[in-house]
Amino acid sequence: MEILVCVKRVPMVGGKIVVTADGQDVDTRMSGFTVSPHEECAVEEAVRLVERHGGGVTVLTLGPPAAADQLRDMLALGASRAVLLETDGREWGPIATTEAIVAAVRGGAGDADARTPYDLLLFGNEAADTGDYQVAVRVAHALGLPCATGIKNLEVTETAARAGREYRGTEEVFDLPLPAVISVKEGINLPRYPSLPGRLRAKRATIERSVPQWHPEDLRKEGLRVPAGETKRAEILGTGTDAVPALIALLDELGVLS
């Protein structure tokens, strides 16, 4: 079984978001990078499937040369092949990203009738930075493959996949023939911690590279802005016993003493 997992290089969450001076991009000069949590689970799921059924896992990303680091992280988890669609660092929209992935899947031949060499294409349900939710669906449409999204339970045989998800408290199950495109959500599994031999193997691995042609999209970005943060205020009631009357008054105002 051959599985392709598409991942994306995204800034690590938790830090303060700063926009560049022109308002067009997020300033990531001081950010660390990783892959989206959903996509890490997709890689883990692919590795588990290959461990049961045999075959190989290819990880693919579209991004700058530095995205090779994220591919090596996925190789350390158990993927066997890595492909970098190298860009100049600009942000690609979901339409252009889809075109690049589809061309890579078809081997760059551009033949719309070419059969995908993969039995299963896995995606994260959405990227952690843009949250587009689009690429998996667009890739499936372009390749003419069945698609299921938001999946948190996956069973695969040699010819079919059974994918399950929860929707508004209801369990939904989809039976899809292979090849198919499936996007998974965080929680479908618990990704393993990369072993030392896995890290060493990933460090020595060769990453296949190609440069896709960028195509502008009809959507135009006007600008980015950081939402106003929550305002917090602290008031010192006093020190020592002098603060007791003010404290009692505050507790009474909050209804604690009633």
Side-chain angles (χ1 to χ4, degrees), residues 6 55 57 68 103 131 140 175 189 234-235 254:
C6 296
V57 177
D175 289 317
N189 55 47
E235 180 181 349
L254 296 174

Side-chain angles (χ1 to χ4, degrees), residues 78-117:
S80 52
R81 176 173 172 252
V83 178
L84 173 60
L85 305 181
E86 193 170 310
T87 71
D88 58 4
R90 80 180 86 182
E91 181 68 28
W92 287 44
I95 298 175
T97 299
T98 296
E99 292 177 353
I101 292 174
V102 169
V105 169
R106 289 175 174 159
D111 183 1
D113 296 325
R115 185 185 184 278
T116 171

Side-chain angles (χ1 to χ4, degrees), residues 175-199:
D175 289 317
L176 301 88
L178 298 183
V181 176
I182 294 176
S183 69
V184 305
K185 296 188 71 173
E186 185 180 10
I188 189 174
N189 55 47
L190 181 63
R192 70 195 68 192
Y193 190 80
S195 64
L196 179 58
R199 289 186 180 277

Side-chain angles (χ1 to χ4, degrees), residues 2-238:
E2 293 299 323
I3 303 176
L4 174 70
V5 187
C6 296
V7 301
K8 184 181 181 182
R9 180 179 189 257
V10 297
M12 290 182 178
V13 298
K16 182 179 179 181
I17 297 176
V18 179
V19 176
T20 55
D22 61 4
Q24 292 298 306
D25 292 289
V26 175
D27 189 342
T28 58
R29 289 176 297 176
M30 302 301 292
S31 299
F33 287 88
T34 184
V35 300
S36 300
H38 298 297
E39 295 166 351
E40 188 175 6
C41 289
V43 173
E44 173 66 26
E45 193 69 16
V47 171
R48 292 187 184 188
L49 289 171
V50 166
E51 288 174 345
R52 290 196 294 269
H53 299 282
V57 177
T58 298
V59 286
L60 178 148
T61 193
L62 175 86
D69 292 340
Q70 282 65 55
L71 289 177
R72 294 193 188 279
D73 289 341
M74 298 303 100
L75 289 171
L77 292 179
S80 52
R81 176 173 172 252
V83 178
L84 173 60
L85 305 181
E86 193 170 310
T87 71
D88 58 4
R90 80 180 86 182
E91 181 68 28
W92 287 44
I95 298 175
T97 299
T98 296
E99 292 177 353
I101 292 174
V102 169
V105 169
R106 289 175 174 159
D111 183 1
D113 296 325
R115 185 185 184 278
T116 171
Y118 302 103
D119 301 293
L120 186 62
L121 286 77
L122 292 182
F123 292 76
N125 202 54
E126 75 270 6
D129 53 353
T130 56
D132 288 324
Y133 296 85
Q134 298 184 40
V135 175
V137 178
R138 288 182 179 275
V139 168
H141 178 73
L143 294 174
L145 298 178
C147 179
T149 62
I151 299 306
K152 295 194 73 171
N153 185 280
L154 182 61
E155 299 176 9
V156 175
T157 66
E158 295 298 325
T159 59
R162 171 163 287 191
R165 70 182 183 189
E166 292 182 6
Y167 179 70
R168 295 183 177 179
T170 302
E171 181 75 15
E172 297 182 337
V173 177
F174 303 90
D175 289 317
L176 301 88
L178 298 183
V181 176
I182 294 176
S183 69
V184 305
K185 296 188 71 173
E186 185 180 10
I188 189 174
N189 55 47
L190 181 63
R192 70 195 68 192
Y193 190 80
S195 64
L196 179 58
R199 289 186 180 277
L200 293 175
R201 184 174 60 252
K203 187 176 181 180
R204 296 191 300 266
T206 299
I207 294 179
E208 301 173 28
R209 300 172 186 258
S210 64
V211 181
Q213 184 177 359
W214 182 78
H215 298 284
E217 299 184 6
D218 293 335
L219 296 177
R220 184 181 66 197
K221 184 194 302 180
E222 294 293 338
L224 301 176
R225 64 179 179 84
V226 180
E230 180 182 355
T231 302
K232 297 181 180 180
R233 181 173 59 89
E235 180 181 349
I236 299 176
L237 300 177

